[in-house]
Amino acid sequence: MNFKQYFIFNKEQRTGLAVLVGLIVIFQLLYFFVDFSTNKVVSKEDEQWLSMQTEIDSMKGIANEDSYKIYPYNPNFITDFKGYKLGMKIAEIDRLLAFRKTNKYVNSAKEFQEVTKISDSLLATMSPYFKFPDWVSNKKQYPKYDNSNFKDFSKKERIIVLDINQATKEDFVKIYGIGDAISDRILKEKEKLGAYVNMDQMQDIWGLSPEVIAELNSHFKISGSTVVKKIDINNLPIKELTKFPYFKYALAKEIVTYRSMNSGIKNIDDLTKIKGFPVEKIKIIALYLEF
């Protein structure tokens, strides 16, 4: 590529380039050597006003520094700085701080003066701004009551223990944690069994927590005179056995199979040999059986 052709100019082009370069040089010289800033002429009146304004501003600063606007405050929480601004001496502030370290409070202007030992004149200027809590300013007078009218709740009332088989729905709902639904379940289960033979049977009632069961045990018991209708385990057919809440169909079938193969069920030990028998409840179940 021939670059020489780009540097060949005619007469007019050379003249234009010379003029452009000359203008650039002139503007650069003007920029460096000519001061374009404008000097504002200040009159004597403006000078006097500016000096007065400076003095006024300085006086305002001094006034703001010396002034201390006071708002209502709780004198129990006066700090060193606040006490100094209010005119208190260091010893007076220290007395208040030492008093507060004992976890005590002043509740009146008089008490404040007794603690700090401030003068009457200083108290007169400070006390109008004292603000104590409402409970200090508006103490309520409560009527006195005769203690003889109150029960001694530290002594528990004597609990009357009832036979659970004789208890009614009203007796059950008095127990904390037992409502209508749970009391109905307890009564319905008793109806199926004929009677409860052990308080451990409360653990089979759905919805009873250990805490509520403990309450039931403290209010109810199984009476020694409880009569239970016995189940003839050696002669009842499967259908009749399943009416007993502890015997489901599968277990009733195993009972019939075992007794037919072993000439009957003779005692509680034979029950443990029956497949699927709830051994953990065997002592309770045995009380309902007739061998």
Side-chain angles (χ1 to χ4, degrees):
M1 179 180 290
N2 187 10
F3 291 98
K4 187 177 180 180
Q5 60 180 341
Y6 295 104
F7 299 98
I8 298 174
F9 304 100
N10 56 32
K11 185 179 180 181
E12 292 179 353
Q13 291 173 335
R14 288 195 296 273
T15 302
L17 286 172
V19 173
L20 178 61
V21 171
L23 288 173
I24 291 173
V25 172
I26 292 171
F27 284 122
Q28 288 291 330
L29 292 173
L30 288 174
Y31 179 77
F32 284 107
F33 296 105
V34 178
D35 184 7
F36 292 96
S37 61
T38 59
N39 294 323
K40 184 179 179 181
V41 179
V42 181
S43 65
K44 290 183 178 181
E45 293 179 355
D46 290 338
E47 289 180 355
Q48 292 177 353
W49 169 253
L50 289 172
S51 62
M52 290 177 62
Q53 184 65 38
T54 303
E55 186 176 353
I56 291 170
D57 291 340
S58 63
M59 291 176 65
K60 283 183 178 179
I62 295 172
N64 290 334
E65 186 177 318
D66 292 337
S67 64
Y68 184 73
K69 191 171 183 180
I70 303 175
Y71 297 94
Y73 60 92
N74 188 332
N76 287 288
F77 303 104
I78 291 177
T79 60
D80 290 335
F81 175 77
K82 188 176 181 68
Y84 167 76
K85 285 293 186 180
L86 292 170
M88 294 179 67
K89 298 176 182 178
I90 295 175
E92 294 168 345
I93 298 171
D94 289 342
R95 291 189 194 103
L96 177 63
L97 296 178
F99 179 77
R100 284 290 296 110
K101 284 183 179 179
T102 63
N103 202 27
K104 295 179 181 178
Y105 296 85
V106 294
N107 295 317
S108 66
K110 182 179 179 181
E111 289 183 16
F112 181 79
Q113 187 179 30
E114 291 174 354
V115 171
T116 59
K117 310 299 181 185
I118 63 173
S119 63
D120 293 338
S121 58
L122 181 57
L123 180 67
T125 60
M126 293 177 63
S127 59
Y129 297 97
F130 285 177
K131 183 178 180 181
F132 296 102
D134 292 337
W135 63 268
V136 173
S137 305
N138 304 310
K139 291 182 178 179
K140 294 183 179 180
Q141 296 295 328
Y142 295 97
K144 295 182 179 179
Y145 296 97
D146 184 3
N147 292 334
S148 62
N149 295 330
F150 291 91
K151 294 181 180 180
D152 184 3
F153 290 101
S154 62
K155 297 179 180 179
K156 292 184 178 180
E157 295 184 3
R158 182 172 175 273
I159 298 175
I160 300 175
V161 182
L162 303 176
D163 181 357
I164 195 168
N165 289 306
Q166 302 297 323
T168 63
K169 182 175 181 178
E170 289 72 19
D171 295 324
F172 288 121
V173 296
K174 291 178 183 177
I175 306 300
Y176 180 77
I178 295 182
D180 291 339
I182 295 181
S183 60
D184 286 339
R185 288 189 205 125
I186 295 173
L187 292 170
K188 187 176 181 180
E189 187 68 12
K190 185 193 74 172
E191 185 179 350
K192 291 180 182 178
L193 294 168
Y196 290 114
V197 295
N198 192 301
M199 287 301 296
D200 288 345
Q201 290 176 282
M202 295 299 102
Q203 298 176 12
D204 298 329
I205 307 298
W206 182 83
L208 286 180
S209 66
E211 294 77 14
V212 177
I213 292 175
E215 282 294 307
L216 282 169
N217 285 325
S218 64
H219 287 81
F220 300 99
K221 66 178 182 179
I222 304 297
S223 174
S225 60
T226 300
V227 178
V228 179
K229 185 180 179 180
K230 300 287 185 175
I231 297 172
D232 187 357
I233 195 169
N234 284 303
N235 295 300
L236 288 178
I238 293 177
K239 186 176 180 181
E240 292 297 321
L241 287 174
T242 55
K243 293 180 181 180
F244 184 50
Y246 291 103
F247 293 164
K248 303 302 180 184
Y249 177 81
L251 180 57
K253 188 176 179 181
E254 290 293 335
I255 291 171
V256 173
T257 301
Y258 180 87
R259 75 189 187 193
S260 63
M261 295 178 64
N262 295 276
S263 301
I265 301 171
K266 301 174 182 63
N267 50 49
I268 193 171
D269 290 334
D270 287 344
L271 297 177
T272 62
K273 301 173 184 178
I274 299 173
K275 183 180 177 181
F277 200 92
V279 179
E280 70 280 1
K281 298 178 181 178
I282 195 168
K283 291 183 179 180
I284 293 176
I285 295 174
L287 295 175
Y288 290 97
L289 304 180
E290 182 181 69
F291 298 104

